[in-house]
Amino acid sequence: MRNVIHTTMQILFPPRCGGCGAKGVWICDTCVADIRAYAQNCFFCEARAPKTHVCAQCAKRYALEAIVWPWRYSHEKTHKVIGDYKYKGLRGAAPALAKHLEQTITQLPQDDWHALPIPIHKSKERERGFNQSYLIARELGLPLINRALVRTVATPPQARSDSRKARFESIRDAFEIRRPQDIEGKAILLIDDVATTGATLSEAARLLKHRGARRISAAVLAHG
């Protein structure tokens, strides 16, 4: 059924590179090269952390062992590609975006990872028609955990918060665990499209660890 839907979407909305407009792909190799990230430092504090992108001190503070991402969000092409996918309803782009994320996930330590997409509030999901992170997560070929973590507070977009402190405060207690049996003892890989400060990832990780997850890392399409 998913293949039928994907084919139908390809016919109705043929791929066009969000970065340069080239036909036939959702993002072309040239644009990927332009926006590629070369991270060697900690996501949170900029200390050197070339393998995990989270230093030991921040791993304890933010409940995340590692974060990986393929693209720089500071590049205008990245904004366009992800923005078109998320806000123009281009669901057909999800498999292509997932391929780029999947390549980055190979940098993580090997484990029995279970993909858990960051949930969005039900009001936003109704408005948008889908959860962009879920569509990507289900294409990764990993066991998928969905509906165990629920967003119960409709917080404003993180990018609109005035400061790093405000972003962390606004997301505090925005999630609930509804199915703890789905996460207990598991290696959880949080999936999202964009991470700026990491506040959303950290809050989700804090709650998951408190409810029994064995280890938690994250993979996002873009940061910075």
Side-chain angles (χ1 to χ4, degrees), residues 116-132:
L116 193 159
I118 291 291
I120 59 178
H121 192 264
K122 59 184 179 181
S123 61
K124 186 175 291 185
E125 189 163 357
R126 283 196 301 267
E127 177 185 348
R128 189 174 298 164
F130 63 100
N131 177 353
Q132 71 279 357

Side-chain angles (χ1 to χ4, degrees), residues 83-101:
D84 284 354
Y85 164 59
K86 186 158 54 173
Y87 300 118
K88 293 186 178 180
L90 300 182
R91 302 186 191 198
L97 298 178
K99 282 186 178 180
H100 291 282
L101 192 60

Side-chain angles (χ1 to χ4, degrees), residues 91-157:
R91 302 186 191 198
L97 298 178
K99 282 186 178 180
H100 291 282
L101 192 60
E102 191 173 13
Q103 293 168 6
T104 309
I105 288 171
T106 61
Q107 300 173 16
L108 293 169
Q110 290 189 350
D111 208 327
D112 295 325
W113 294 108
H114 289 66
L116 193 159
I118 291 291
I120 59 178
H121 192 264
K122 59 184 179 181
S123 61
K124 186 175 291 185
E125 189 163 357
R126 283 196 301 267
E127 177 185 348
R128 189 174 298 164
F130 63 100
N131 177 353
Q132 71 279 357
S133 300
Y134 168 76
L135 294 188
I136 292 172
R138 73 179 187 181
E139 300 290 339
L140 294 175
L142 297 172
L144 183 65
I145 298 176
N146 195 33
R147 306 301 181 188
L149 181 69
V150 178
R151 195 163 193 149
T152 56
V153 179
T155 57

Side-chain angles (χ1 to χ4, degrees), residues 35-47 49-55 64 66-74 78 82 97 100-108 189-190 192-196 198 201 218-224:
I35 67 178
R36 185 174 292 129
Y38 298 94
Q40 296 291 321
N41 299 328
C42 176
F43 179 100
F44 295 102
C45 74
E46 294 298 317
K51 293 184 178 180
T52 62
H53 307 134
V54 180
C55 69
L64 285 160
I67 304 176
V68 292
W69 63 96
W71 299 340
R72 294 178 292 130
Y73 193 55
S74 57
T78 315
I82 295 178
L97 298 178
H100 291 282
L101 192 60
E102 191 173 13
Q103 293 168 6
T104 309
I105 288 171
T106 61
Q107 300 173 16
L108 293 169
L189 183 62
L190 295 171
D192 210 354
D193 57 335
V194 176
T196 49
L201 295 174
V220 300
L221 279 173
H223 165 57

Side-chain angles (χ1 to χ4, degrees), residues 1-12:
M1 177 60 71
R2 189 186 304 173
N3 289 336
V4 173
I5 294 173
H6 178 64
T7 301
T8 302
M9 294 298 290
Q10 294 282 84
I11 294 172
L12 294 175

Side-chain angles (χ1 to χ4, degrees), residues 175-200:
F175 298 106
E176 284 185 3
I177 299 291
R178 294 280 173 86
R179 295 178 56 84
Q181 68 272 22
D182 290 351
I183 62 172
E184 290 175 355
K186 291 185 171 67
I188 303 296
L189 183 62
L190 295 171
I191 305 297
D192 210 354
D193 57 335
V194 176
T196 49
T197 62
T200 299

Side-chain angles (χ1 to χ4, degrees), residues 149-166:
L149 181 69
V150 178
R151 195 163 193 149
T152 56
V153 179
T155 57
Q158 290 288 294
R160 297 180 188 173
S161 297
D162 293 333
S163 66
R164 178 183 177 87
K165 181 179 179 181

